[in-house]
Amino acid sequence: MKNILILPGDGIGPEVTRQAEKILGFFNRKKNIFNITHANLGGAAIDEFGNPYPKQTQELAEKADAILLGAVGGPKWDKLESSIRPEKGLLAIRKHLGLFANLRPAIVYDELADASTLKKEVVSGLDILIIRELTGDVYFGEPKGIEQTPEGRKGYSNMIYYDYEVTRVAKVAFDLARKRGKKVCSIDKANVLACSELWREEVIKVHQSEYKDVELSHMYVDNAAMQLIRNPKQFDVIVTGNIFGDILSDEAAQLTGSLGMLPSASLGNANQGKCNALYEPIHGSAPDIAGKNVANPIATILSLAMMFKYSFDMQEAGDNVESAVKKFLAAGFRTADIMQDKCTKIGTEEAGDKILKNLEQLYS
Ligand code: IPM
Ligand code: MN
């Protein structure tokens, strides 16, 4: 049995993860392989336990072979003190499980090439993979804080990378590049930041020692932000630190014009045959549309497809889930966020049902 922990989270999280569960149900009816449990993370966990990443969830997360997360956060918890905000639950689970490699693909589906705010020729056929380091950088660097000093109040965060943190994420990037366009662009700010200087040196070492068959280039983050909208198709795999990756992956997602379509995976080190892994849609909890059956479940369903491929070596099942989604789009069905001319607008549950039906047909 494969143990899957589902963390529906807040806002639209529960309704989008429910659609992915329909897909899991289908595979379980064919052959009972997935053992599914649920737990709380983020605001839902604050409400129940006063903690965004409570002990109960931590224990289940440690035991899980893979985790599917909806989304966390919402205005209801915005006024809480920073240590118990929903986002802290997300950061805590990443750190706790050592999920250092965050894979964020930005893919433009043919049917949705018009959805981008950029010219169609700039984005059509786009397929890039951003690998964001996820457990270091200013997100976790110590010391950090806010203090009173003689010169005034001082706020500080520390950008820190150890060599091994750079090496392991660079290896993930090179390994994945080998399976696709064989190009890695490492993004840093080595002209200014010492931390980035080390980043660049370590990436070069890894490249020289094991990956000379992959093309490596380097780019400063400010230029990269510009290049991503000027000519995004020049990139194949991008590898970068936590904060630059946070920003650039939002930019890359917007290139596709359909945030509701993009999945992600956060992976840890293989440890005695087990590799911690968490899959989640790139979009947030969208509290304004929560519970209204209008959210797009595709990013979550595609996150499940990534889980099949990366955690369970179920390549074919993952491909079939993706095909079921493509067929759904080709048939002209759209949730509100990706609605286009001459298409049929449908809700979250109906979208989940239609994608499920397409999948069933692939196996009948
Ligand atoms: C993301 C989010 C998180 C981050 C927030 C919610 C803590 O923006 O996953 O990109 O900054 O990593
Ligand atoms: Mn972000």
Side-chain angles (χ1 to χ4, degrees):
M1 283 301 247
K2 302 180 189 312
N3 287 314
I4 298 181
L5 175 64
I6 299 189
L7 304 171
D10 311 318
I12 59 171
E15 51 199 301
V16 293
T17 49
R18 205 179 314 130
Q19 309 316 313
E21 277 193 66
K22 290 178 181 169
I23 308 277
L24 283 170
F26 164 75
F27 283 102
N28 263 351
R29 283 193 294 282
K30 273 167 40 75
K31 188 173 171 216
N32 196 20
I33 47 172
F34 297 118
N35 177 31
I36 301 166
T37 45
H38 293 83
N40 280 328
L41 182 80
I46 295 171
D47 287 350
E48 199 176 335
F49 304 101
N51 179 343
Y53 186 40
K55 196 104 222 101
Q56 294 84 340
T57 305
Q58 291 176 30
E59 281 163 11
L60 289 167
E62 277 172 20
K63 279 192 231 136
D65 295 309
I67 300 171
L68 182 70
L69 168 66
V72 297
K76 181 175 173 197
W77 305 281
D78 272 353
K79 289 196 187 66
L80 291 175
E81 162 221 335
S82 76
S83 68
I84 50 162
R85 287 176 49 133
E87 294 81 1
K88 277 281 149 56
L90 192 55
L91 298 179
I93 193 172
R94 288 171 179 170
K95 195 71 176 174
H96 174 218
L97 299 179
L99 307 172
F100 67 86
N102 182 216
L103 281 48
R104 298 190 164 187
I107 294 171
V108 171
Y109 289 84
D110 288 343
E111 289 84 3
L112 300 177
D114 287 325
S116 176
T117 48
L118 296 191
K119 288 192 194 117
K120 196 169 171 176
E121 64 264 28
V122 176
V123 297
S124 72
L126 181 74
D127 179 356
I128 61 183
L129 176 61
I130 297 193
I131 301 182
R132 166 189 176 194
E133 200 289 329
L134 203 58
T135 51
D137 206 339
V138 283
Y139 274 73
F140 296 97
E142 297 284 351
K144 62 177 168 206
I146 301 177
E147 274 168 22
Q148 192 64 54
T149 75
E151 292 127 278
R153 249 156 60 82
K154 168 177 144 187
Y156 52 100
S157 295
N158 256 301
M159 182 177 273
I160 298 175
Y161 268 118
Y162 285 91
D163 51 6
Y164 68 90
E165 294 178 298
V166 181
T167 306
R168 65 185 181 186
V169 77
K171 284 185 178 174
V172 171
F174 286 124
D175 282 333
L176 290 170
R178 257 187 194 149
K179 297 185 194 148
R180 32 183 298 149
K182 291 201 159 53
K183 279 197 330 191
V184 170
C185 180
S186 169
I187 293 173
D188 60 38
K189 187 73 186 172
N191 51 345
V192 177
L193 303 172
C195 181
S196 276
E197 233 177 275
L198 175 119
W199 174 282
R200 191 176 286 216
E201 287 168 11
E202 295 303 322
V203 171
I204 291 172
K205 276 190 213 159
V206 174
H207 179 245
Q208 288 296 314
S209 65
E210 290 175 56
Y211 297 97
K212 283 200 181 134
D213 56 310
V214 178
E215 184 189 317
L216 171 66
S217 60
H218 304 272
M219 208 179 263
Y220 297 136
V221 62
D222 48 350
N223 183 29
M226 192 169 70
Q227 294 299 331
L228 264 176
I229 44 168
R230 194 185 71 83
N231 175 20
K233 284 188 257 179
Q234 69 185 284
F235 298 105
D236 174 31
V237 172
I238 285 174
V239 64
T240 189
N242 205 347
I243 188 72
F244 298 155
D246 178 44
I247 298 163
L248 293 179
S249 64
D250 265 28
E251 187 185 2
Q254 195 52 46
L255 295 175
T256 73
S258 42
L259 210 55
M261 302 282 299
L262 299 177
S264 76
S266 303
L267 310 175
N269 257 331
N271 193 351
Q272 290 159 353
K274 182 174 176 294
C275 173
N276 286 335
L278 180 147
Y279 301 83
E280 60 179 312
I282 282 192
H283 61 69
S285 60
D288 50 322
I289 57 163
K292 296 190 176 149
N293 194 41
V294 297
N296 186 346
I298 293 179
T300 308
I301 290 173
L302 292 175
S303 298
L304 185 65
M306 284 187 96
M307 180 192 291
F308 288 169
K309 293 184 184 184
Y310 289 97
S311 282
F312 301 139
D313 212 12
M314 293 169 62
Q315 191 69 33
E316 195 188 323
D319 285 345
N320 285 338
V321 171
E322 287 168 12
S323 300
V325 168
K326 284 191 190 130
K327 198 169 154 205
F328 167 87
L329 294 171
F333 294 112
R334 302 283 186 272
T335 43
D337 58 313
I338 52 172
M339 187 55 192
Q340 291 168 301
D341 257 7
K342 302 198 194 82
C343 288
T344 314
K345 186 147 115 185
I346 62 173
T348 312
E349 293 288 341
E350 296 70 31
D353 292 340
K354 291 224 183 301
I355 293 167
L356 173 66
K357 196 157 257 152
N358 291 344
L359 185 68
E360 284 167 351
Q361 271 168 15
L362 282 169
Y363 285 88
S364 63

